[in-house]
Amino acid sequence: MRLSSAPGGVEHAVRVDLDGLINQMPNGPDKDKFSKEMDDFYRLFTRYLHDKKHSKPLDWEKVRGPKPEDVITYKDLEQKSVQDVAPLLSKLAVLKLNGGLGTTMGCVGPKSAIEVRDSQTFLDLTVQQIEYLNQVSGADVPLILMNSFNTDEDTSKIVQKYSTHNVSICTFNQSRYPRFKTDSNLPLAQTPENKPNMWYPPGHGDLYESFANSGLLDQLIDEGKEWVFVSNVDNLGATVDPVILQHMADTGAEFVMEVTDKTKADIKGGTIIDYDGQVRLLEIAQVPKAHVDDFKRVKKFKIFNTNNLWISIKAIKRLVASQKFDLDLIVNNKTTDDGTAVIQLETAVGAAIKHFAGAHGVNVPRSRFLPVKSTSDLFLVTSDLYLLENGELRLNPKRTFKTVPVVKLGDHFKKVNDYLARFKTPPQILELDHLTVTGDVSFSSDVTLEGTVIIVANHGAHIDIPRGAILNDKVVSGDLRLLDH
């Protein structure tokens, strides 16, 4: 059903612009899909205008920590093996959020195509995990990739190499919405073509609508699937967990969010709260400026959302069909290359927690959250700190402490190619607690780092860490050039 507006005003002007974009498309399935996307965008846009006029800011006095029943501890759940839940696995699908590019790490193309361990990419490891799961359980758990218009073409080519693997792979695209000008509220795009700066993928909260629009949701229901496990493709800890799957079946909950204990590195992560007696996800973007420091306090908000989500497929269909599936808006202000101020309206997939029956969190071990957002993270997952088995990374049992070291690599290591050029082989870090490296520093092979290690090459200086070096609680600074023999 086409959404319309009364003549006059911003809403009408935007509706006219969107219809103009639609009418430039030739008749056919692509036009129908584009028309549906523009209608969905228009619904989001009118909510934005309404919220600007009428919505009340978050009342911080009503923000409470979650009730005990809203966050269950993982260790209190009954332990299960993959074989124990084999019948349930036949009702599960795995969905990876695959819309991001690797640009922040200096890479071209989908982030999921970055090599993260033993020359294998995020996608390689994910396929290995699910293939092994299907082999052990006898189930047929499909892998679904939600791409964006930025990643779809490359991903479609990449997945062809898995055609002989024991895993069914399906893809669909999340929506493509027009950026709009901050001053006039009118869309920047003049044509439906995918020109730079004009369009954007509207955050992973778009999953629900796009999943339904793709036809895959109905297909999974027809195949007898009941649950979908959703996670970020760059979270190497987000594997199918038989314990939580059994918990979903036992409780009948329509939505389970995996949370884990917050550390100082996670102070910006969204958290489950009780707001007016309702379980909600609170993101830092929603917090009033006066209370941001309060939000970041680990003592008050002790957990954060890993974005590992277990969701009832039928519940998604019901809520999308209701058209009352409003997720909290994230207003993202941007500036284009030519200096134009624009707005992107986005939503977060976890914000849907308030709409599902029986929704709650499960406080999982930190090992379930192993994202690779930077080369500092890459340093950890390529090291001897982890063992790789059937596509899954596990903390090396030889590590004395079960915590992960704090690693801070400077700007010289920011891009993957620069990072790789500075390490001949990954250092051994089983006994490492903290590593900071800044400046022009290179590591030769067979280096061991233990305790707290700080290496600082001042401006214009260069430091070579020689082959076989063992640095234990050391500070290295200045200019040091050594040749390997």
Side-chain angles (χ1 to χ4, degrees), residues 287-341:
V287 177
K289 285 183 180 178
H291 299 286
V292 168
D293 287 341
D294 202 16
F295 176 82
K296 290 179 179 179
R297 287 196 183 97
V298 175
K299 286 186 178 179
K300 181 165 185 178
F301 297 101
K302 299 177 181 177
I303 55 173
F304 73 98
N305 170 29
T306 65
N307 224 35
N308 299 349
L309 308 170
W310 301 75
I311 313 173
S312 160
I313 292 173
K314 287 182 179 176
I316 294 175
K317 182 174 173 63
R318 183 189 77 238
L319 288 166
V320 170
S322 75
Q323 291 200 348
K324 295 177 182 175
F325 200 26
D326 292 342
L327 305 185
D328 297 327
L329 278 179
I330 299 168
V331 179
N332 201 340
N333 292 285
K334 298 274 188 179
T335 305
T336 63
D337 294 342
D338 66 3
T340 305

Side-chain angles (χ1 to χ4, degrees), residues 40-53 55 177 180 200 202 205-206 280-281 283-287 325-332 343-348 351-352 354-355:
D40 289 343
F41 168 77
Y42 184 69
R43 188 179 294 112
L44 202 66
F45 178 77
T46 53
R47 269 188 59 210
Y48 161 73
L49 292 182
H50 179 272
D51 288 357
K52 271 182 78 173
K53 287 182 182 177
S55 74
Y177 284 175
F180 60 91
Y200 71 98
D206 178 62
R280 294 261 298 264
L281 176 69
E283 300 278 8
I284 192 167
Q286 300 166 284
V287 177
F325 200 26
D326 292 342
L327 305 185
D328 297 327
L329 278 179
I330 299 168
V331 179
N332 201 340
I343 289 174
Q344 298 181 180
L345 298 179
E346 302 175 12
T347 56
K354 64 183 179 182
H355 291 291

Side-chain angles (χ1 to χ4, degrees), residues 5-18 42 45-46 48-49 52-53 180-187:
S5 62
V10 173
E11 289 185 30
H12 178 70
V14 170
R15 182 70 262 182
V16 169
D17 272 17
L18 296 177
Y42 184 69
F45 178 77
T46 53
Y48 161 73
L49 292 182
K52 271 182 78 173
K53 287 182 182 177
F180 60 91
K181 298 173 188 174
T182 305
D183 53 4
S184 67
N185 284 323
L186 295 176

Side-chain angles (χ1 to χ4, degrees), residues 260-263 265-266 304 364-371 404:
T260 196
D261 291 344
K262 206 181 246 193
T263 68
D266 315 305
F304 73 98
V364 297
R366 183 76 185 198
S367 57
R368 301 275 306 153
F369 185 67
L370 188 58
V404 176

Side-chain angles (χ1 to χ4, degrees), residues 220-233:
L220 291 175
I221 291 171
D222 291 344
E223 292 172 358
K225 304 297 183 188
E226 294 187 21
W227 305 283
V228 60
F229 172 48
V230 178
S231 63
N232 297 337
V233 74

